[in-house]
Each structure stands twice: as structure tokens, then as C-alpha cells.
């Protein structure tokens, strides 16, 4: 989906189209029943997931009041009423587990949210995170190396958009985004390694 289709706020971050496409691919939502989007912002990841996978149960968690209003507006705008919104600061108590979790914002609780996400992921579930700060990426990578995960993968995504300049064109670069993805090890594997 094109970024221009989403209602945007001035201070509300949005996972951009190219990053969102790779994140959704890494989440493997075609195999999932329940998906959690942490730090949902404008809701771009939740909404595109809902439109691609109509049977998917989606929970979008967001803490900022302005973002919650924009998230609700985007859900109405796209008619994705199956996306449930939960206001709160992650990590928050949840009754259910999920098959896939996307972390787009941590509010300063990076390792706590990673541990919470792995606790709430089903065995074999997918965790995908995006960062704009290299320090957060390296902290998350270091932490995940000590967790029960497999298929740990990192990408730097640098995208430029074709932009007119005078009589010619150039690629106007966006800031790089760092993406981490992994899979929670199966409970059997965890028991075998213990």
C-alpha cells in the first residue's frame, strides 16, 4: 500500500511502505491466526496486515493519545474494524499468545518488550522489529542472541524516492531503517537444550 493512502499526523511515526513490505513478509502472517503490533503509531502495519489477511486476529498497542486517535481514524478510513486497539505502555499484561509480533516502538523499554514478546509468542512464532537508531538495533541484536530464538536476521533498508530537481531527477534518500527478525524456538527444542 502506498504511504499517501494513510492519514498522517505531524509527530506520529509511520512504518514506511518499503520497510512495511519487508516486515510483513518476515512476519509470515499467512501462517498466523493472531498478530500483535506494538507501538502501532498510524496503524500502517496493522491495517495492511488486516487487508492482506482478512481472517487474522489483530491487536494494535499504542501509548500516545494523539497516535491512538490517528490509529482509530485510519482503521475507520480503511474499514479494518477487526483491528482491536489497546491503549497502554508495553509490556502490558495479555491473556492470549500470538503467532507473530511486530515491534515498531519501544518507548525506552527495549529489552523488557523483547522478553515480553517472546513470552507471548507461540512456539515457532515470528518476531520482527524495526529501528531508526543503530544503538537500539545493536542492543536488540545482542539481547536476542541470548534468547531462545532461531533464524535471527538483520537488514539495513535504505530507500530513495525519485524526485524532480530542475530539469532532471534524483533519488531523494529516506533515513535508513534497521530490521531484525527471528523465530521463537519450539518448546521441544528448548527442553532438549536444557
Amino acid at each position: 500500500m502506498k504511504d499517501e493512502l494513510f492519514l498522517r499526523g505531524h509527530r506520529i511515526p509511520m512504518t514506511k511502505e518499503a520497510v512495511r513490505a519487508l516486515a510483513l513478509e518476515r512476519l509470515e502472517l499467512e501462517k498466523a491466526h493472531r498478530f500483535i503490533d506494538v507501538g502501532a503509531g498510524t496503524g500502517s502495519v496493522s491495517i495492511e496486515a488486516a487487508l492482506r489477511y482478512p481472517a487474522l486476529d489483530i491487536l494494535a498497542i499504542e501509548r500516545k493519545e494523539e497516535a491512538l486517535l490517528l490509529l482509530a481514524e485510519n482503521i475507520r478510513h480503511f474499514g479494518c474494524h477487526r483491528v482491536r486497539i489497546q491503549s497502554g505502555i508495553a509490556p502490558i499484561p495479555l491473556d492470549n499468545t500470538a503467532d507473530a509480533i511486530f515491534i515498531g516502538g519501544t518507548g525506552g523499554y527495549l529489552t523488557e518488550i523483547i522478553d515480553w514478546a517472546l513470552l507471548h509468542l507461540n512456539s515457532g512464532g515470528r518476531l520482527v522489529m524495526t529501528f531508526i537508531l543503530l544503538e537500539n538495533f545493536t542492543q536488540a541484536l545482542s539481547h536476542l542472541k541470548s534468547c531462545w530464538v532461531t533464524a535471527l536476521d538483520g537488514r539495513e533498508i535504505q530507500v530513495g524516492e525519485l524526485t524532480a530537481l530542475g530539469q532532471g531527477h534524483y533519488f531523494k534518500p529516506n533515513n535508513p531503517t534497521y530490521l531484525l527478525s527471528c523465530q521463537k524456538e519450539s518448546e521441544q527444542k528448548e527442553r532438549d537444550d536444557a
Side-chain angles (χ1 to χ4, degrees), residues 149 163-164:
V149 298
T163 305

Side-chain angles (χ1 to χ4, degrees), residues 43-84:
S44 66
V45 173
S46 291
I47 289 167
E48 187 157 351
L51 293 173
R52 285 190 189 192
Y53 307 99
L56 192 61
D57 177 22
I58 301 172
L59 176 64
I61 300 172
E62 178 54 55
R63 65 186 177 100
K64 297 177 184 170
E65 188 62 36
E66 185 181 348
L68 287 163
L69 296 171
L70 190 57
L71 174 58
E73 281 183 50
N74 272 316
I75 287 171
R76 279 192 298 277
H77 178 71
F78 286 97
C80 293
H81 303 290
R82 290 177 303 95
V83 177
R84 294 173 291 118

Side-chain angles (χ1 to χ4, degrees), residues 170-181:
Y170 78 109
F171 281 94
K172 181 178 181 181
N174 289 329
N175 291 329
T177 300
Y178 308 102
L179 184 141
L180 267 178
S181 62

Side-chain angles (χ1 to χ4, degrees), residues 6 14 24 46 103 118 124 140 170 182 190:
F6 291 92
M14 182 174 92
L24 289 168
S46 291
I103 301 174
L118 292 173
Y170 78 109
C182 62
E190 290 176 23

Side-chain angles (χ1 to χ4, degrees), residues 41-163:
T42 62
S44 66
V45 173
S46 291
I47 289 167
E48 187 157 351
L51 293 173
R52 285 190 189 192
Y53 307 99
L56 192 61
D57 177 22
I58 301 172
L59 176 64
I61 300 172
E62 178 54 55
R63 65 186 177 100
K64 297 177 184 170
E65 188 62 36
E66 185 181 348
L68 287 163
L69 296 171
L70 190 57
L71 174 58
E73 281 183 50
N74 272 316
I75 287 171
R76 279 192 298 277
H77 178 71
F78 286 97
C80 293
H81 303 290
R82 290 177 303 95
V83 177
R84 294 173 291 118
I85 300 173
Q86 183 158 345
S87 174
I89 299 173
I92 59 175
L94 291 179
D95 294 333
N96 295 320
T97 58
D99 303 301
I101 297 178
F102 174 74
I103 301 174
T106 61
Y109 300 97
L110 180 57
T111 56
E112 294 90 344
I113 291 176
I114 290 172
D115 291 342
W116 169 89
L118 292 173
L119 180 67
H120 287 88
L121 263 180
N122 292 325
S123 180
R126 301 285 302 167
L127 173 62
V128 175
M129 297 168 278
T130 57
F131 308 96
I132 58 172
L133 296 178
L134 184 56
E135 290 80 4
N136 288 347
F137 172 85
T138 55
Q139 182 183 5
L141 178 61
S142 176
H143 187 69
L144 283 169
K145 286 180 178 178
S146 67
C147 297
W148 294 96
V149 298
T150 61
L152 183 57
D153 183 61
R155 302 289 164 148
E156 177 188 26
I157 305 165
Q158 177 69 57
V159 177
E161 297 175 15
L162 187 64
T163 305

